[in-house]
Amino acid sequence: MRVKVLEKNERSIEVLIEGISLPIINAIRRYAMTQVPTMAIDEVLVMVNTSPLFDEILAHRLGLIPLKSDEALEKYRSPEECAECTAYARGCENCFAYLRLEAAAEGESVTVYSGDIVSDDPDITPVYKNIPIVTLAPGQRLVVEMRARLGRGIEHIKWSPVTVATNRYVAKINVDRSRCDLCKRCIELCPRKIFYIENNELKVRNEMNCILCKQCERSCPKDAIMLSWYEDKYILRLESTGVLKPERILSESISMLIKKLDELHEQMNKVTVK
Ligand code: SF4
Ligand code: SF4
């Protein structure tokens, strides 16, 4: 197996993986979306709300604000452990981070932003300070207390750490140069600028950028382009909401998949032994 990082920055990672089957890569992708835990606001106690938003809409908006979760995975209990905890209803400090939002408009309208949320835990704060929550007209007020906990995207999308999780094939592009008359149609049509002419010959650059849209193959008047893809090479791309670093999401999703398979293996062994 071979893994090559094609792109990595604060918010996204793209890796080329060779020598592994598509179902495994797809499982990693799905685990990234649905199983890697993150923190999100889950309970909202509205003390005062004279804003134009109903309490429910306000709670929904607060729940969708991404919270930094890098430290949370070690610090807070997993959603499953919390669900079994007898102190859950009282608000066990191992399960919950506590946050508060207080705002008032006096002389003129005030827009309340995610950056106005104050957290008891400095590790669990909004990733972005500039998400508008509500605009208060003069005289309106808001006092809200919140509890955030670890959860998984399978329960609600607010806990999913990714905005994009895709895998794609790596294209194989063959040009029959004996047929090509250099009409340039494929050059004009290709959205990824894969083709170019050099020394009176049509050439292909960076096949990995090809999105297999087939525009070139369909439009070539000489049927000179043949598209296919590699059977054991895939590109996995994850884009983070900002709650976790993209490489952490990738490694956590792989670890969780392995853990689940280990559990299955253990159970299967018991069945076999009986
Ligand atoms: S569209 Fe076909 S014939 Fe025209 S340049 Fe491309 S490969 Fe050659
Ligand atoms: S399949 Fe689409 S992206 Fe790929 S080379 Fe052809 S036109 Fe370009």
Side-chain angles (χ1 to χ4, degrees), residues 181-218:
D181 65 0
L182 301 179
C183 73
K184 296 189 183 168
R185 199 167 162 73
C186 56
I187 298 176
E188 285 154 17
L189 282 174
C190 175
R192 305 310 288 260
K193 307 288 172 225
I194 301 286
F195 301 102
Y196 65 104
I197 293 175
E198 193 179 79
N199 298 331
N200 230 14
E201 203 172 68
L202 186 75
K203 299 216 164 143
V204 171
R205 69 185 143 210
N206 204 356
E207 283 175 323
M208 268 187 285
N209 278 347
C210 171
I211 51 172
L212 284 164
C213 67
K214 298 197 171 185
Q215 292 255 46
C216 53
E217 193 181 48
R218 285 196 199 110

Side-chain angles (χ1 to χ4, degrees), residues 123-135:
D123 291 327
I124 313 297
T125 55
V127 178
Y128 310 100
K129 307 284 180 212
N130 58 352
I131 300 173
I133 297 168
V134 63
T135 298

